[in-house]
Amino acid sequence: MITIMIGILTGLMLLYKIPSLQSGQHSDGRKVLSNLSIIIPARNEEKNISRLLTSLEKEKQEIGEIMVVDDGSEDKTAEIAASLGARVIAAKELPPGWLGKSWACFTGAEQAKGEWLMFIDADTFFEQNGAAQCAAAFLKQRAEGMLSVHPFHSTRKPYESFSAFFHLVTFAATGAFHIMQGKGRSAGGFGQCMICTKKDYFVWGGHEAIKNKVVENMAFAEHVRKQGAPVYCASGKGAISMRMYPDGVMSLIRGFSKTFASGAKATKWHVLLAIIIWLTGCLSFFTEIGVLFSKWWFLYVLLYIAAMLQIWISVKEIGRFGLWTVCFFPVYALFFMVVFLASLWKTFVRKSASWKGRNIIVREDA
């Protein structure tokens, strides 16, 4: 029972407060949209690109430019993007030592016309006034350093709730939300939405500085921090959302197993230790279930409710997850661990993965 108690307290420490963009003043952001270049790296995204570009329709006239960097797509990604008014750029052949997304982002940044850069994944979409909300949040940080936003996960099918612990661990791994963390001192970041000035981006060396990193978001945020610039993290709730792995549970497993072990390697050791303690506490409800048949059953139930509340307070800021996700959280934690072990196998034993038709070789320094 001690392990469970320590786990709950550690979870509270790791995810003490998660700020969102929901309450932002989008009117402030609208004033600077004309200086913004939205860069969308896209590879075989014909199922997603239309939704993203359509979500920007009401703000499109105010935004400086919306650019889709076609990263060697084998489908109609570029054609659809062009038909919806985006500026489409074909990324050149992947140079040696580069990974695809970083190369596409760097290509887009080099050709961007705006003073501000917003890198957006193609499987995201904006809520009403979402781009202005993001810009306003960056203004709130005095338009310095980097703002890293995790899109709110809009789930639709029951299996998508299995992503809950992946998101919780991702938030915890940034080190941005624990009780003792100072504002702007995050050691990691989110890859789906990043905002910075074009000037700062190239002063930092851009994605070229982390061109061979599989988990480019953590690597780039850490690189920015080492340059002496702050990294701010937030939930995109109310501004930018995403729908992940709509093709079934196997796509979810493949997606998360692709990078999660590399992400663990990139996480600060003390933060990683705290995450392990928290997850151990969650899983200990399985090993301690016999307590229900002893005189200590009330304590077990009380701790279970406490863990549920701790998880609910955090997960409601991250995505639309049903009550069952919170009620049966040990099952979801166990699913996370199984997929994480699969990721360890792919990353450190096979040292390779496949994503969107492209093989990824995981190097020791990645």
Side-chain angles (χ1 to χ4, degrees):
M1 301 291 277
I2 296 296
T3 303
I4 292 176
M5 293 179 189
I6 295 174
I8 293 172
L9 290 174
T10 304
L12 285 169
M13 181 195 73
L14 281 170
L15 300 166
Y16 175 66
K17 185 178 182 182
I18 299 177
S20 72
L21 305 188
Q22 192 171 31
S23 58
Q25 299 296 319
H26 64 80
S27 57
D28 294 335
R30 304 195 86 86
K31 300 173 185 177
V32 295
L33 286 182
S34 60
N35 293 323
L36 178 66
S37 289
I38 294 180
I39 301 170
I40 307 166
R43 177 175 171 82
N44 297 337
E45 294 286 0
E46 66 179 6
K47 293 181 179 179
N48 296 316
I49 198 69
S50 176
R51 179 181 56 188
L52 170 56
L53 295 176
T54 301
S55 73
L56 285 166
E57 190 64 33
K58 292 183 178 180
E59 296 181 282
K60 184 167 64 175
Q61 300 305 317
E62 300 175 74
I63 297 170
E65 66 175 337
I66 301 171
M67 180 193 306
V68 173
V69 183
D70 183 25
D71 180 23
S73 295
E74 298 165 338
D75 60 9
K76 296 182 179 180
T77 297
E79 181 181 332
I80 294 171
S83 70
L84 291 171
R87 177 187 173 196
V88 179
I89 294 173
K92 295 179 181 179
E93 185 177 349
L94 195 64
W98 282 81
L99 293 181
K101 182 179 175 182
S102 291
W103 174 240
C105 288
F106 190 73
T107 298
E110 283 190 313
Q111 300 193 41
K113 300 174 182 177
E115 297 176 19
W116 289 17
L117 306 179
M118 181 188 293
F119 299 96
I120 296 288
D121 278 7
D123 59 357
T124 64
F125 57 94
F126 287 92
E127 304 296 343
Q128 185 174 0
N129 298 311
Q133 290 276 60
C134 292
F138 189 49
L139 270 177
K140 191 176 180 180
Q141 310 304 336
R142 299 183 298 278
E144 65 175 9
M146 184 177 78
L147 174 63
S148 179
V149 181
H150 188 286
F152 189 77
H153 190 174
S154 177
T155 61
R156 296 182 187 177
K157 297 179 181 179
Y159 77 84
E160 294 176 61
S161 293
F162 280 99
S163 65
F165 266 81
F166 293 92
H167 294 320
L168 288 168
V169 170
T170 297
F171 271 73
T174 66
F177 309 106
H178 67 71
I179 195 167
M180 295 182 290
Q181 181 64 295
K183 193 175 183 183
R185 293 179 55 200
S186 170
F190 309 119
Q192 299 98 327
C193 176
M194 300 189 300
I195 309 172
C196 62
T197 66
K198 184 175 181 180
K199 178 182 177 181
D200 283 343
Y201 178 81
F202 285 106
V203 166
W204 301 330
H207 281 80
E208 186 174 17
I210 49 95
K211 62 185 179 182
N212 67 334
K213 304 297 184 182
V214 176
V215 189
E216 87 292 331
N217 53 305
M218 294 291 284
F220 191 60
E222 173 69 5
H223 175 72
V224 169
R225 192 184 67 82
K226 286 182 177 179
Q227 306 307 303
V231 177
Y232 304 96
C233 294
S235 163
K237 186 177 182 180
I240 181 170
S241 300
M242 64 182 173
R243 172 96 190 280
M244 296 185 74
Y245 311 123
D247 297 328
V249 68
M250 290 309 300
S251 67
L252 183 149
I253 292 172
R254 285 193 298 270
F256 282 122
S257 65
K258 174 175 67 80
T259 60
F260 237 79
S262 293
K265 185 179 178 181
T267 303
K268 294 294 185 182
W269 72 266
H270 58 281
V271 176
L272 183 60
L273 178 61
I275 291 171
I276 291 171
I277 292 171
W278 170 56
L279 288 172
T280 301
C282 291
L283 292 171
S284 292
F285 281 101
F286 284 121
T287 59
E288 297 284 348
I289 198 168
V291 175
L292 283 172
F293 303 98
S294 72
K295 64 179 181 179
W296 300 104
W297 68 269
F298 183 74
L299 178 59
Y300 181 95
V301 172
L302 194 64
L303 289 173
Y304 198 93
I305 293 172
M308 285 172 54
L309 288 173
Q310 183 258 310
I311 291 169
W312 173 246
I313 289 170
S314 299
V315 83
K316 69 182 178 65
E317 300 299 324
I318 295 172
R320 188 176 64 197
F321 296 101
L323 185 59
W324 62 84
T325 309
V326 179
C327 291
F328 299 102
F329 71 87
V331 175
Y332 292 88
L334 181 61
F335 177 82
F336 167 84
M337 287 304 302
V338 171
V339 176
F340 180 72
L341 290 173
S343 184
L344 284 173
W345 171 263
K346 288 183 177 181
T347 303
F348 299 115
V349 179
R350 290 179 53 193
K351 297 186 179 181
S352 67
S354 177
W355 188 244
K356 296 188 182 297
R358 176 180 281 159
N359 289 323
I360 300 171
I361 305 300
V362 182
R363 299 172 177 83
E364 291 298 323
D365 63 341

